Amino acid sequence: MKELLLIAVASAFVNNVVLSQFLGICPFLGVSKNVKTAGGMGGAVIFVITIASFVTSVIYKFLLVPTELEYLQTIVFILVIAALVQFVEMFLKKAMPPLYNALGVYLPLITTNCAVLGVALTNVQRSYTILEGIVYGVGTAVGFTVAIVLMAGIREKIEYNDITESFQGTPIVLVTAGLMAIAFFGFSGLI
Amino acid sequence: MNNYTERLYNGLIKENPTFVLMLGMCPTLAVTTSAINGIGMGLSTTVVLVLSNMLISMLRKIIPDSVRIPAFIVVVASFVTIVQFLLEGFVPSLYASLGLYIPLIVVNCIILGRAESYASKNPVLLSVFDGIGMGLGFTVGLTAIGIVRELLGSGKAFNVQVLPSSYEPITIFILAPGAFFVLAGLTALQNKAKKRAQAKGDPNAALIGCGTDCASCGKKAVCGVKTEQTTNTEQAK
């Protein structure tokens, strides 16, 4: 139990997926204009990463390892993730329309979110068990959500600030991200 | 300028993936802690890009339109796996420092973006040159960022001590926040250039940099459309 907790805290805060591992930078910069959409994106990422880390660990353990096809992991994982996202989208549309309305638009964007593939590959690299893999996935996704929601909150305020012309737009967002990354260094004493 | 050199120029300068299109931000920020890493990542991506452009261009009449994206992904993922094993076998030190980011080349928007907007519509040799141009453009971008970060963060360039030992390295530049700061500085410079071009009334100014909208990998289709239009206008000329 203690180990699982350590994995969760480490992945969510200490090694934050966006601010220290640089995965999922693209949605982090692109979909962080307001808190509501950022929250939606975060929700969708938590949802997909949780399922994806479970499915890919199961496929790796019970399909690729017994058949000695471990070297196909990258190809298999990316296809599984792409298919999974499609499937989740269809399922939500049919079964849970309110959730689909909240997350739907963000789902197709997630296939190309490197965080999802990153989690699947890291699970294999660190030879996590299936449960550890899921915990790591959820932790990472929560870390992503925390980062993107915080960023959106700051960006909403930045709108009202007077910024040098050449730093308007992406540059000021990157500077903010850098400052947030420094702040997240503070968590490294946690473990 | 003939078509082939035009492709190289396009990738290296006009539509430089790092500075102009702002694609593939994840590896750009993550592996540029040193110039060597930047070159290694850039060249690995170039190899994958050239090979996948070539194969996709060869298969462009065979792949049905409705399943083209999954087909592209399989092609790209296969080449990435091959490159990953070659690196692991021949340059283990580079493989160790790039780590997770090698398999993640699969989701690099540059590669799928070029496949979708160029290789799937153009002849083989031109696509290969497009891959070389784009790949080298990416390599140059990563190396440039790598040099800046390495120089400020450890006083070295390509692992050789450049600055005098009295220079106190600003370590933060080789840590995570430094990546954001350096990129922020570079995009600010680019913004400035763009503003100046617009003030001069350069009609191409709007095409410089897709900005934030396109930095989102998920919206790469938007960027694909944009580059597509550029290529179309070029062809029209």
Side-chain angles (χ1 to χ4, degrees):
Chain A
M1 196 56 218
K2 198 179 150 206
E3 257 169 35
L4 293 182
L5 199 67
L6 272 181
I7 292 175
V9 173
S11 55
F13 297 109
V14 182
N15 296 317
N16 186 283
V17 64
V18 181
L19 297 168
S20 86
Q21 298 184 57
F22 304 109
L23 299 178
I25 290 287
C26 310
F28 177 68
L29 297 178
V31 206
S32 59
K33 289 215 174 79
N34 72 62
V35 175
K36 217 178 146 212
T37 41
M41 184 70 187
V45 167
I46 295 182
F47 197 73
V48 171
I49 287 192
T50 311
I51 302 176
S53 51
F54 171 69
V55 174
T56 50
S57 329
V58 167
I59 288 182
Y60 186 77
K61 288 237 157 61
F62 297 110
L63 200 69
L64 295 185
V65 173
T67 49
E68 292 181 3
L69 289 173
E70 288 100 328
Y71 61 90
L72 286 179
Q73 45 165 303
T74 314
I75 305 177
V76 171
F77 286 178
I78 187 74
L79 286 177
V80 166
I81 290 167
L84 191 76
V85 172
Q86 286 281 323
F87 180 75
V88 166
E89 196 183 350
M90 286 192 290
F91 176 77
L92 282 185
K93 204 170 182 177
K94 267 262 183 279
M96 296 176 232
L99 193 61
Y100 176 78
N101 288 336
L103 305 181
V105 251
Y106 309 105
L107 284 173
L109 296 179
I110 293 178
T111 318
T112 46
N113 186 336
C114 21
V116 186
L117 185 61
V119 166
L121 291 168
T122 313
N123 282 341
V124 171
Q125 224 169 45
R126 299 192 187 159
S127 42
Y128 280 158
T129 62
I130 294 176
L131 187 61
E132 281 171 338
I134 296 173
V135 171
Y136 178 76
V138 175
T140 306
V142 169
F144 177 82
T145 313
V146 168
I148 196 171
V149 170
L150 283 176
M151 179 53 131
I154 299 174
R155 271 180 88 166
E156 281 184 354
K157 295 283 175 281
I158 287 181
E159 291 285 304
Y160 303 109
N161 290 354
D162 188 21
I163 299 156
T164 325
E165 205 177 64
S166 29
F167 270 89
Q168 279 167 8
T170 323
I172 191 70
V173 177
L174 288 169
V175 171
T176 316
L179 294 174
M180 283 170 71
I182 295 180
F184 268 72
F185 268 147
F187 286 116
S188 57
L190 215 58
I191 288 186
Chain B
M1 215 185 322
N2 75 39
N3 281 342
Y4 298 105
T5 46
E6 191 273 333
R7 278 290 96 200
L8 295 182
Y9 172 76
N10 183 58
L12 270 169
I13 299 177
K14 212 171 123 212
E15 283 182 19
N16 186 295
T18 309
F19 297 124
V20 182
L21 296 181
M22 294 202 60
L23 289 177
M25 281 299 113
C26 306
T28 309
L29 290 167
V31 302
T32 50
T33 46
S34 73
I36 299 279
N37 280 358
I39 289 194
M41 186 69 198
L43 290 183
S44 321
T45 313
T46 309
V47 171
V48 175
L49 188 55
V50 171
L51 293 175
S52 67
N53 259 7
M54 185 174 78
L55 195 65
I56 286 166
S57 177
M58 281 175 182
L59 298 176
R60 70 183 187 281
K61 290 187 181 117
I62 304 169
I63 298 174
D65 213 36
S66 49
V67 294
R68 63 181 197 289
I69 300 285
F72 294 165
I73 292 181
V74 174
V75 170
V76 175
S78 317
F79 283 124
V80 168
T81 309
I82 295 171
V83 167
Q84 185 182 354
F85 284 125
L86 288 177
L87 284 178
E88 195 176 2
F90 292 104
V91 243
S93 59
L94 186 67
Y95 178 78
S97 60
L98 295 181
L100 186 62
Y101 297 95
I102 292 287
L104 285 179
I105 295 178
V106 180
V107 279
N108 191 325
C109 342
I110 300 171
I111 296 177
L112 269 184
R114 289 329 281 174
E116 169 75 7
S117 68
Y118 198 86
S120 61
K121 300 188 183 81
N122 287 284
V124 177
L125 207 55
L126 269 178
S127 303
V128 168
F129 272 83
D130 182 71
I132 297 177
M134 278 287 159
L136 289 183
F138 187 60
T139 312
V140 168
L142 288 195
T143 315
I145 299 176
I147 290 177
V148 173
R149 287 182 67 188
E150 200 183 354
L151 201 63
L152 292 173
S154 61
K156 295 175 182 170
F158 296 99
N159 276 334
V160 180
Q161 191 75 33
V162 178
L163 297 174
S165 54
S166 58
Y167 171 77
E168 191 69 49
I170 317 168
T171 321
I172 195 128
F173 277 101
I174 47 172
L175 298 175
F180 289 110
F181 292 141
V182 172
L183 195 68
L186 288 170
T187 32
L189 279 177
Q190 185 206 321
N191 267 357
K192 205 168 175 143
K194 191 159 117 187
K195 290 259 157 55
R196 196 169 288 166
Q198 264 166 353
K200 274 189 193 160
D202 184 345
N204 284 327
L207 286 172
I208 302 178
C210 297
T212 20
D213 292 334
C214 181
S216 154
C217 295
K219 293 182 192 161
K220 68 172 182 299
V222 182
C223 210
V225 173
K226 219 162 209 172
T227 38
E228 216 172 285
Q229 281 166 349
T230 351
T231 13
N232 287 346
T233 43
E234 275 159 24
Q235 279 160 357
K237 275 177 204 163

